[in-house]
Amino acid sequence: DSDLGHYTQLGVLGVGTFGRVVRAVHNTTGEEVAIKLLPRGNFGPVGSRQSELYRRYVSREIKHQSSLRHPLIVALKEVFLTPSYLAIAMEYARGGDLFTYTLSHQPSGRLSEQQARWIFQQLMIGLDYCHQRGVANRDLKLENLLLDRDSQDGARPLLKICDFGYAKADTNSSANTAVGTPVYMAPEVIMAGKSKYDAKKADIWSCGIILYAMLFGKHPFDVEDRLFIRKLVLARYTVPADVPVSEDCLDILRRVLVANPSQRLNMDQIRAHRWFRGSLPPGA
Ligand code: ADP
Ligand code: MG
Ligand code: MG
């Protein structure tokens, strides 16, 4: 179980859908890495529906993470087999994930507008690279955004997008399967099956949810709410009155969280928006 080839495990970083992610060190180079451990037992028997989903998930993850090479995307280092696991060694993001980072800002449990913008800007640049390469992530959320360093040392953390297990290549064709995490899913994705959707536009919606969550420390649409779907398809959400956020920031949020994907801001429009480009008033 603890056999990780030429790596030694140092601790557990996270537990995900199909396996856990551990922190490890390379025995000869001393390089620290994160290793996703996918139990080999889940692969068989061939032909069963569960194992097919698992195969598809794992092959997508490896394919995309190895083809996307960008400072804002977690780099894949190597894939190897141990007696129990298919192991994916990747760049270690020592700042952890953005969900934990946002929550750690106590007592508010949210980021300042400047911090949120710094992260959102990087998210858009990294995502633009993916989209230009024809890859949509389809599972963008705070838990899948990592930071290269922790907040304590004062410098601004660099973002690292991870988890391409639901990613879709060839974004010029449309998708019709509802994948992702409900609170981050665009209305057209939730309604998929009835109609096709553009996976790039759906990614943009998720980025709007991420921005809202960083600013306000909660999600705009609550899955526990009986009216969740109804509010989501109408993009009807409120912003807390007690959190000071600039008009420009609310404006970009309003234009990203638009139910109709053809009226939602696209990547270029977001990157040209005043809030994205401009500087914030002091103390905002
Ligand atoms: P899953 O597909 O199961 O959601 P993820 O790839 O999202 O798996 O990893 C689960 C969690 O493990 C992440 O939310 C994060 O907290 C942690 N993690 C994953 N990759 C890394 C990494 N490269 N560096 C640091 N932490 C990581
Ligand atoms: Mg994940
Ligand atoms: Mg995943």
Side-chain angles (χ1 to χ4, degrees):
D1 185 62
S2 58
D3 175 16
L4 289 187
H6 44 275
Y7 293 94
T8 300
Q9 183 173 327
L10 300 177
V12 176
L13 291 168
V15 179
T17 338
F18 296 112
R20 66 206 146 92
V21 178
V22 301
R23 187 166 70 93
V25 59
H26 192 285
N27 294 335
T28 49
T29 67
E31 185 184 28
E32 265 188 76
V33 295
I35 305 181
K36 186 177 257 191
L37 296 174
L38 299 159
R40 291 177 67 169
N42 293 358
F43 284 103
V46 178
S48 79
R49 182 172 154 72
Q50 264 326 103
S51 78
E52 283 314 310
L53 287 176
Y54 186 66
R55 272 161 213 275
R56 221 183 309 153
Y57 175 87
V58 172
S59 67
R60 264 202 296 245
E61 173 134 38
I62 294 170
K63 183 175 96 186
H64 296 305
Q65 215 142 328
S66 59
S67 69
L68 299 168
R69 289 266 157 207
H70 190 278
L72 295 172
I73 293 165
V74 168
L76 185 138
K77 297 201 172 287
E78 63 173 315
V79 179
F80 59 96
L81 287 172
T82 78
S84 329
Y85 301 106
L86 174 75
I88 305 175
M90 50 190 157
E91 172 185 12
Y92 170 46
R94 60 187 62 251
D97 67 71
L98 201 54
F99 179 81
T100 312
Y101 180 77
T102 301
L103 260 185
S104 75
H105 287 68
Q106 288 304 328
S108 67
R110 55 182 166 77
L111 304 184
S112 71
E113 187 174 329
Q114 285 101 323
Q115 284 178 305
R117 185 172 64 163
W118 166 243
I119 292 187
F120 186 77
Q121 286 168 329
Q122 296 183 82
L123 173 58
M124 286 302 134
I125 293 164
L127 187 62
D128 197 7
Y129 168 84
C130 298
H131 287 182
Q132 302 256 8
R133 304 287 302 254
V135 177
N137 178 288
R138 300 204 296 170
D139 199 17
L140 293 171
K141 54 178 171 178
L142 293 178
E143 295 89 328
N144 289 338
L145 300 177
L146 309 178
L147 299 168
D148 73 330
R149 60 172 86 228
D150 47 44
S151 46
Q152 274 81 351
D153 67 11
R156 297 213 270 184
L158 275 190
L159 189 73
K160 300 278 177 184
I161 303 174
C162 81
D163 202 349
F164 285 81
Y166 288 121
K168 186 183 187 306
D170 182 17
T171 51
N172 291 326
S173 70
S174 48
N176 64 358
T177 30
V179 301
T181 308
V183 274
Y184 290 91
M185 275 188 202
E188 70 272 18
V189 177
I190 293 258
M191 304 309 281
K194 287 186 182 167
S195 52
K196 297 204 163 202
Y197 65 89
D198 177 333
K200 285 190 225 169
K201 289 180 175 157
D203 270 353
I204 299 276
W205 171 279
S206 304
C207 292
I209 304 288
I210 289 167
L211 176 57
Y212 184 106
M214 290 191 290
L215 292 166
F216 302 116
K218 61 177 191 167
H219 298 296
F221 305 98
D222 177 9
V223 275
E224 303 292 315
D225 185 344
R226 196 169 51 81
L227 300 175
F228 171 68
I229 299 278
R230 199 180 306 173
K231 287 179 181 166
L232 181 73
V233 299
L234 296 170
R236 191 162 292 161
Y237 67 92
T238 57
V239 296
D242 58 336
V243 180
V245 167
S246 73
E247 244 335 292
D248 282 347
C249 181
L250 293 175
D251 184 75
I252 196 167
L253 207 50
R254 211 156 33 224
R255 293 171 195 273
V256 169
L257 293 179
V258 171
N260 183 342
S262 62
Q263 283 164 19
R264 191 176 303 153
L265 290 190
N266 65 27
M267 182 68 74
D268 292 341
Q269 291 167 321
I270 290 174
R271 293 184 65 169
H273 190 278
R274 194 159 64 163
W275 184 75
F276 193 93
R277 304 180 65 89
S279 59
L280 294 168

